[in-house]
């Protein structure tokens, strides 16, 4: 087709590039150029042709295309664009990426003013200063700036370039990358670092970081305030602490690096005022991005807690000594009736040893019926959450029977587990004394009744015996007064009657005194006196039924006071007299 047009004079020259097969079987690119020898001649039948081997140029063009494709792929992957600025015309040539980042139209001429309008106002001066520095060779023609772009949301770019001279004058060529994500990360890291720094500086702890050579690289503000180590960077423990402390800290540091296992320990060290303080320290090994090892640590002052624990242990030991040396029993049981604590008195009296590992329960000490009663009371104490006090008369494991005043109360530990605490005082002697006192009180009331009856009887006997006899004596004296003058001969007989009456009165008086307090009671004792009294009663009354006892009665000299003995004697006497009066 091209030869036809060339012969017809429609064109004076024709060029064609095509691949040809070389004689060595290799493909080569050639350029064929055909021109009319006489251009004005129609038809032109004479031509001249040239053939040029352009294989090298085609190879270079192919390499350039591949390079451009790779550059485009790299720009897409790395998210950066290219630009070039002509200082003579103030026109910038840029790719689609740069236009998109600045929010500029996809086509049309872009000037420096367009870029500056899209630059954050506070960053425009820095951008122009960087361009001017590149023009003046202050930076060897290099241009680099990080700036913000006016766009919806925050946007940061990094532009780098270099000045070169063209035929029109200096030009600035470079690349541009959107670094918004990186800036956000940096700001977040700075914010996190500031927050972390503020946290460590305001936390109630000390913090430090040492490298693998024992040199300090970080101390928080509270550490500096506590130990006044202002100039600490690059120093070791030996530079900041006394030799004995430094040696111990260094050994701990080496042991930690050896196994890289976190460790916790309690240290007692002096502060900057020389006061000894306790610190609960936690140290650990970590690595930075380059793989270098560091030892980080934190310390919490535990002086108050340690002293409180020491005071608590002292108090517990004092309380334990108090409980172990007291004469009352003390114990604590869980809700299942197992003993978790008991004082020495309890263990000695019950022949057991109570410890944290022992599993002694009520069933190991008491019969089932006693345990059932104990558990019922314990359950009431736990359910009602109130203390109970009561008297219990259960026996001891050794068979002795005792009375106990018990006080039980609920306990709850920090985990919410419930227990029953108890105190028990042996009141056996006191209870027996109270029972004896009650019996004596009842006996005293009975003796008062006997005494009153005795008084009535004495009054009656005085009235019957002494009153009648004295009345008869008074009448006889009246007769003597009247008959002495008229019948002197009868006077001796009347006197004899008076003697008989007085003798009878004396006998009645002796009898009454004997009944009130027999003389044999003082000389022979209560046993003999009562037996004589009963024998007299038997001889005079001869009852059909009577009792006999072979046990001797108590004697006043053996602890019984004289007044109850007299009461007893009079009581027996009254009983026998009543028996005589009421006998058939």
């Amino acid at each position: 087709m091209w030869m036809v047009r060339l012969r017809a004079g429609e064109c004076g020259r024709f060029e064609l590039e095509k691949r040809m097969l070389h004689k060595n079987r290799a493909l080569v690119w050639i350029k064929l150029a055909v021109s009319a020898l006489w251009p004005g001649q129609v038809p032109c039948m004479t031509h001249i042709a040239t053939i040029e081997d352009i294989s090298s140029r085609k190879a270079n063009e192919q390499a350039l295309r591949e390079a451009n494709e790779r550059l485009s792929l790299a720009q897409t992957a790395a998210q950066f664009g290219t630009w070039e600025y002509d200082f003579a015309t103030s026109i910038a040539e840029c790719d689609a990426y740069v236009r998109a980042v600045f929010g500029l139209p996809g086509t049309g001429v872009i000037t420096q003013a367009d870029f500056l309008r899209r630059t954050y106002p506070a960053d425009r001066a820095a951008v122009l200063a960087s361009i001017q520095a590149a023009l003046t060779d202050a930076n060897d023609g290099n241009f680099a700036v990080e700036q913000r772009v006016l766009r919806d949301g925050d946007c940061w770019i990094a532009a780098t370039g270099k000045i070169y001279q063209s035929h029109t004058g200096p030009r600035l060529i470079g690349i541009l990358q959107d670094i918004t994500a990186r800036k956000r990360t940096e700001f977040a890291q700075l914010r996190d670092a500031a927050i972390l720094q503020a946290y460590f500086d305001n936390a109630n702890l000390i913090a430090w970081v040492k490298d693998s050579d024992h040199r300090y690289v970080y101390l928080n503000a509270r550490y500096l305030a506590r130990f006044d180590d202002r100039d600490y960077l690059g120093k070791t423990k030996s530079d900041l602490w006394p030799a004995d402390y430094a040696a111990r800290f260094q050994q701990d540091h080496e042991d930690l690096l050896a196994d890289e296992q976190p460790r916790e320990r309690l240290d007692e060290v002096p502060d900057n005022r020389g006061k000894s303080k306790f610190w609960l320290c936690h140290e650990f090994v970590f690595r930075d991005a380059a793989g270098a090892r560091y030892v980080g640590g934190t310390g919490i002052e535990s002086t108050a807690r340690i002293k409180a624990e020491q005071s608590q242990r002292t108090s517990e030991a004092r309380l334990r000594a108090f409980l172990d040396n007291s004469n009352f029993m003390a114990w604590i049981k869980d809700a299942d009736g197992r003993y978790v604590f008991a004082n020495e008195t309890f263990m000695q009296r019950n022949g057991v040893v109570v410890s944290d590992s022992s599993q002694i329960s009520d069933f190991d000490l008491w019969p089932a019926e006693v345990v059932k009663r104990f558990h019922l009371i314990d359950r009431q104490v736990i359910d009602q959450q109130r203390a109970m006090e009561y008297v219990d008369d259960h026996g001891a494991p050794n068979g002795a029977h005792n009375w106990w005043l018990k006080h039980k109360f609920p306990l709850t530990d920090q985990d919410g587990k419930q227990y029953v605490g108890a105190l028990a005082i042996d009141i056996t002697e006191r209870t027996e004394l109270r029972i004896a006192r009650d019996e004596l009180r009842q006996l005293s009331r009975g003796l008062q009744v006997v005494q009153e009856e005795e008084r009535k009887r004495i009054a009656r006997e005085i009235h019957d015996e002494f009153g009648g006899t004295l009345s008869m004596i008074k009448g006889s004296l009246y007769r003597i007064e009247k008959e002495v003058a008229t019948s002197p001969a009868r006077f001796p007989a009347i006197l004899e009657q008076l003697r008989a009456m007085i003798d009878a009165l004396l006998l009645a008086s002796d009898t009454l005194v004997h009944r009130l307090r027999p003389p044999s009671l003082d000389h022979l004792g209560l046993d003999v006196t009562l037996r004589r009294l009963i024998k007299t009663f038997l001889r005079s009354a001869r009852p059909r039924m009577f009792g006999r006892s072979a046990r001797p009665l108590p004697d006043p000299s053996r602890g019984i006071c004289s007044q109850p003995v007299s009461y007893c004697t009079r009581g027996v006497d009254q009983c026998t007299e009543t028996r005589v009066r009421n006998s058939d």
Side-chain angles (χ1 to χ4, degrees):
M1 181 62 67
W2 54 272
M3 285 299 292
V4 174
R5 294 180 60 193
L6 190 62
R7 287 176 181 177
E10 295 179 0
C11 62
R13 182 179 174 83
F14 179 79
E15 293 182 356
L16 175 66
E17 294 180 355
K18 62 181 300 184
R19 288 180 296 178
M20 301 291 290
L21 184 63
H22 195 269
K23 64 180 182 179
N24 61 2
R25 311 300 293 176
L27 288 175
V28 296
W29 279 91
I30 65 169
K31 180 180 179 181
L32 175 64
V34 180
S35 300
L37 187 59
W38 294 283
Q41 182 181 358
V42 178
C44 181
M45 301 303 292
T46 305
H47 302 85
I48 186 171
T50 63
I51 298 176
E52 180 183 1
D53 187 355
I54 60 172
S55 299
S56 297
R57 194 193 74 185
K58 284 294 185 178
N60 292 334
E61 290 176 355
Q62 180 65 27
L64 182 60
R65 283 194 299 271
E66 292 177 355
N68 289 334
E69 290 176 358
R70 287 195 296 270
L71 179 61
S72 178
L73 290 174
Q75 289 178 349
T76 303
Q79 295 184 347
F80 70 88
T82 60
W83 53 271
E84 186 173 354
Y85 175 67
D86 188 351
F87 287 94
T89 61
S90 296
I91 295 176
E93 299 176 1
C94 52
D95 60 8
Y97 179 86
V98 175
R99 291 174 179 266
V101 168
F102 275 88
L104 297 173
T107 59
V109 177
I110 305 297
T111 64
Q112 184 186 44
D114 296 327
F115 281 107
L116 290 177
R117 277 195 300 270
R118 303 297 296 173
T119 300
Y120 196 79
D123 296 340
R124 290 170 186 170
V127 172
L128 293 175
S130 297
I131 295 175
Q132 188 64 31
L135 281 172
T136 59
D137 291 335
N139 295 326
D140 294 331
N142 294 317
F143 167 78
V145 69
E146 291 183 357
Q147 68 177 72
R148 288 165 288 182
V149 177
L150 292 175
R151 204 175 66 181
D152 294 338
D154 59 334
C155 178
W156 279 83
I157 64 167
T160 59
K162 190 173 182 62
I163 297 291
Y164 76 96
Q165 297 294 329
S166 68
H167 65 280
T168 60
R171 297 173 69 93
L172 181 60
I173 187 170
I175 62 173
L176 180 144
Q177 187 176 14
D178 186 345
I179 59 171
T180 303
R182 192 194 79 190
K183 280 292 184 181
R184 289 176 180 173
T185 302
E186 290 177 356
F187 292 150
Q189 290 175 346
L190 290 174
R191 183 182 66 250
D192 294 343
I195 293 173
L196 188 62
Q197 181 70 38
Y199 166 78
F200 277 111
D201 286 344
N202 292 278
N204 189 24
L205 52 84
I206 60 174
W208 63 91
V209 178
K210 296 180 292 183
D211 60 18
S212 57
D213 295 327
H214 310 277
R215 291 188 298 266
Y216 283 99
V217 297
Y218 169 77
L219 295 176
N220 72 335
R222 193 170 293 273
Y223 192 111
L224 299 176
R226 281 284 187 172
F227 301 102
D228 199 20
D229 296 330
R230 301 294 175 182
D231 185 19
Y232 65 88
L233 286 176
K235 292 185 177 180
T236 64
K237 287 286 187 182
S238 300
D239 301 322
L240 303 178
W241 292 92
D244 52 345
Y245 290 100
R248 177 159 54 89
F249 293 157
Q250 183 172 350
Q251 185 61 47
D252 293 338
H253 184 100
E254 292 175 355
D255 294 342
L256 190 63
L257 287 175
D259 57 19
E260 296 191 0
Q261 295 297 320
R263 296 190 179 186
E264 188 175 84
R265 69 177 187 274
L266 185 66
D267 278 338
E268 182 180 5
V269 296
D271 59 10
N272 55 358
R273 291 174 294 180
K275 293 185 177 180
S276 182
K277 301 291 184 179
F278 288 94
W279 295 88
L280 181 61
C281 299
H282 180 80
E283 287 190 314
F284 50 92
V285 177
F286 67 96
R287 287 177 168 82
D288 62 7
R293 293 195 304 171
Y294 296 87
V295 173
T298 60
I300 299 176
E301 185 178 352
S302 305
T303 305
R305 180 175 66 85
I306 296 301
K307 289 185 177 180
E309 291 176 354
Q310 292 175 348
S311 177
Q312 182 179 1
R313 287 193 294 268
T314 302
S315 178
E316 290 176 353
R318 185 166 52 245
L319 178 61
R320 181 76 194 207
F322 166 75
L323 293 175
D324 287 343
N325 290 279
S326 61
N327 61 349
F328 57 82
M329 296 193 304
W331 67 90
I332 299 175
K333 292 189 293 184
D334 60 16
D336 297 327
R338 289 188 295 268
Y339 289 89
V340 298
F341 167 80
N343 68 339
E344 193 67 25
T345 304
F346 179 94
M347 292 187 288
Q348 288 180 356
R349 297 200 66 153
N350 295 293
V352 295
V353 176
V354 177
S355 63
D356 294 336
S357 59
S358 63
Q359 296 292 324
I360 298 176
S361 66
D362 289 329
F363 290 99
D364 300 320
L365 301 177
W366 319 107
E369 62 275 7
V370 177
V371 173
K372 183 178 180 180
R373 186 169 75 248
F374 287 173
H375 285 190
L376 179 62
I377 298 175
D378 294 345
R379 179 49 56 186
Q380 290 179 357
V381 171
I382 293 177
D383 293 343
Q384 301 177 10
Q385 286 295 299
R386 66 180 183 88
M388 295 182 63
E389 187 173 275
Y390 64 98
V391 176
D392 203 349
D393 62 343
H394 64 82
N398 57 8
H401 189 83
N402 299 89
W403 291 82
W404 300 92
L405 176 61
K406 294 183 177 181
H407 179 80
K408 292 187 175 182
F409 47 91
L411 294 173
T412 304
D413 63 10
Q414 59 184 2
D415 298 327
K417 191 174 182 179
Q418 294 182 325
Y419 300 87
V420 175
L423 299 174
I425 302 176
D426 189 352
I427 58 171
T428 303
E429 184 177 355
R430 187 174 70 180
T431 302
E432 291 176 350
L433 290 175
R434 181 178 56 79
I435 294 174
R437 185 173 61 251
D438 293 341
E439 293 177 351
L440 289 175
R441 188 178 294 112
Q442 294 178 1
L443 180 60
S444 177
R445 286 196 294 267
L447 291 176
Q448 289 177 0
V449 173
V450 172
Q451 184 180 23
E452 187 63 27
E453 293 295 328
E454 183 69 11
R455 287 172 180 172
K456 292 180 181 179
R457 185 181 67 80
I458 293 173
R460 184 173 61 252
E461 289 186 359
I462 290 175
H463 178 271
D464 294 344
E465 299 292 342
F466 287 80
T469 303
L470 291 175
S471 297
M472 292 175 62
I473 292 174
K474 183 177 180 181
S476 298
L477 291 175
Y478 179 73
R479 286 173 55 197
I480 291 172
E481 182 182 2
K482 292 178 66 176
E483 292 182 4
V484 163
T486 58
S487 302
R490 298 186 58 187
F491 184 71
I494 295 174
L495 290 178
E496 187 63 30
Q497 291 179 356
L498 288 175
R499 291 191 189 96
M501 292 179 184
I502 291 172
D503 292 339
L505 184 60
L506 292 174
L507 180 59
S509 174
D510 291 340
T511 303
L512 182 59
V513 171
H514 186 275
R515 288 180 179 177
L516 291 176
R517 182 73 180 183
S520 60
L521 187 63
D522 295 325
H523 300 288
L524 301 178
L526 178 63
D527 185 32
V528 176
T529 301
L530 290 181
R531 293 183 185 278
R532 287 186 176 182
L533 185 61
I534 293 173
K535 287 181 180 180
T536 303
F537 164 71
L538 293 177
R539 285 196 300 269
S540 61
R542 298 187 182 276
R544 289 188 296 269
M545 296 180 64
F546 58 89
R548 179 180 297 273
S549 174
R551 179 182 298 176
L553 297 176
D555 191 79
S557 61
R558 297 183 180 178
I560 301 181
C561 62
S562 59
Q563 188 174 1
V565 171
S566 301
Y567 289 161
C568 182
T569 307
R570 288 198 297 272
V572 174
D573 187 22
Q574 183 178 4
C575 290
T576 55
E577 182 178 356
T578 302
R579 177 70 178 86
V580 171
R581 289 178 179 177
N582 295 331
S583 61
D584 294 337

